[in-house]
Amino acid sequence: MARPLGAVRLKKANPFCVALGGFIFIFVVFFLFSSPTSTSTPSAQSPHSASLKRSKAPPVTRYNLNNVTITPDPVANREAVLVLTPMSRFYQEYWDNLLKLSYPHDLITLGFILPKTKEGNAATAELQKRVVEVQKGPEGNRFAGIVILRQDFEPAITSQDESERHKMENQKARRSVMAKARNSLLFTTLGPLTSWVLWLDADIIETPPTLIQDLASHNKPVLVPNCFQRYVDSDTGKPGERPYDYNNWQDSETAQKLAAKMGPDEILLEGYAEMGTYRPLMAFMETEKGGLHDEVPVDGVGGAALLVKADVHRDGAMFPPFAFYHLIETEGFAKMASRLGWQAYGLPNYRVYHYNE
C-alpha cells in the first residue's frame, strides 16, 4: 500500500531569476504582437525588398550620336578628342610634346596601355607620376580624363631595342600583339561623345602644337602626317632628317601579285629588301614646293600619328591581329576602313618626329 507523501517545502525563488524571467516574458510578448502580420506589404515582409524600395532606380542615360559633331573646326564646336598611346617605354620628350598641344585640354581624354614587363612597369610608374602632376596642376593644363590600362597578354618580344623590334622575323608576332593592345585600348575608352581619335605613338617626341586642329581641318576619315627622324651624321657631325615610317603607302601591282601567291595567314611587310613590293611610299613623296597641307590618297597607314574620325571606329574598323587581305595592324586597319567605305589620306609635307635611339 502506497504511503502518503509528507508536506513539500518550496525553496524561496532567487530575485534575480524572477527579474530575468519577467524581462524575457515581456520581450517575447512584445516581439509577437509587434511583428508584421501575413497581410503586410511585400516590402515589409522582406528586408531586401524594403531596401530596394528605399533606394533610387539606376539612372538611364541616353545619347543621340546624330548630335555628335565631327567638323573641320573642332575647337569652335567643342568636339571631344581621344588621344590613345600604346606605351612600352616612357619618353619625357613625348610627354612634354603632349602637354604643348594647343587643343583645349578639357576636351582631350588620354588613354594608355602598357605591357606587364620590367620596362612596362617602369614606364607605368613614370607615367603615373606625370599624370598626377598635371591633373593636380593648373586647371587649364588638366585633361578631361586619363585612362591607364595594363595588357592582359604577353608581349611578342621582350626587348624594345629598335634593331630587335624591326627584325623581319619578329614582325607578324610583334604587330599582332600591338594590334591587340590597340583594340583593347580603343574598345575600353571610346565614348559616345568622342568625335576624333588621335593615335600617337609613345616615341613621337615632336609635333606642331596645332597637330589636332591641323589634321582635323582636312575633314578626312583617316589622315596621317609624314613621320621623320632627326639624327646627327656620324661622319660629318651635321644634323639631318630621314624618313622613318614606311607603313604609309599606295598599293602597287607588284604587291598585289605577291599577295596573290601567299597563304591565307601570310602578310606583306614594307621596308624590307627580302620583300620588294615597289609600293609608292609617302615617306618619299615630300616635295620642296609642295604645300604643308597637300593631300594624297593612301592604302596603308602607320600608327605613329594617325587621326581617325570616331565614326570610322564605330563602324567597326579596328586593328586586325591576324592576316586581313595579307595585311596586319595599322595597315590592316586602313584596308578594313576602306572596305567599310572610308578612304585614308596622307600629308607628305606635314612632319612629325620619332625618337632617335
Side-chain angles (χ1 to χ4, degrees), residues 111-124:
F112 303 92
I113 187 167
L114 303 95
K116 293 181 180 179
T117 61
K118 184 178 179 180
E119 283 188 313
N121 293 339
T124 302

Side-chain angles (χ1 to χ4, degrees), residues 24-82:
I24 294 174
F25 174 77
I26 294 172
F27 175 80
V28 170
V29 172
F30 175 79
F31 178 80
L32 290 175
F33 284 95
S34 63
S35 297
T37 65
S38 58
T39 58
S40 300
T41 62
S43 62
Q45 292 177 345
S46 169
H48 178 67
S49 60
S51 65
L52 288 178
K53 183 177 180 180
R54 288 192 298 267
S55 65
K56 294 182 179 180
V60 176
T61 306
R62 295 177 174 84
Y63 297 99
N64 186 347
L65 295 183
N66 291 328
N67 295 333
V68 179
T69 63
I70 306 176
T71 67
D73 192 356
V75 175
N77 292 298
R78 301 282 297 168
E79 293 172 357
V81 177
L82 185 59

Side-chain angles (χ1 to χ4, degrees), residues 196 219-223 307-310 312 333 341-345:
W196 300 91
N219 200 28
K220 298 300 182 185
V222 181
L223 187 68
L307 188 70
V308 182
K309 288 186 176 182
V312 178
F333 161 74
W342 304 100
Q343 174 64 52
Y345 291 85

Side-chain angles (χ1 to χ4, degrees), residues 86-98:
M87 179 180 289
S88 296
R89 286 180 178 176
F90 180 84
Y91 295 98
Q92 184 62 44
E93 298 93 333
Y94 159 86
W95 186 254
D96 293 340
N97 183 75
L98 186 66

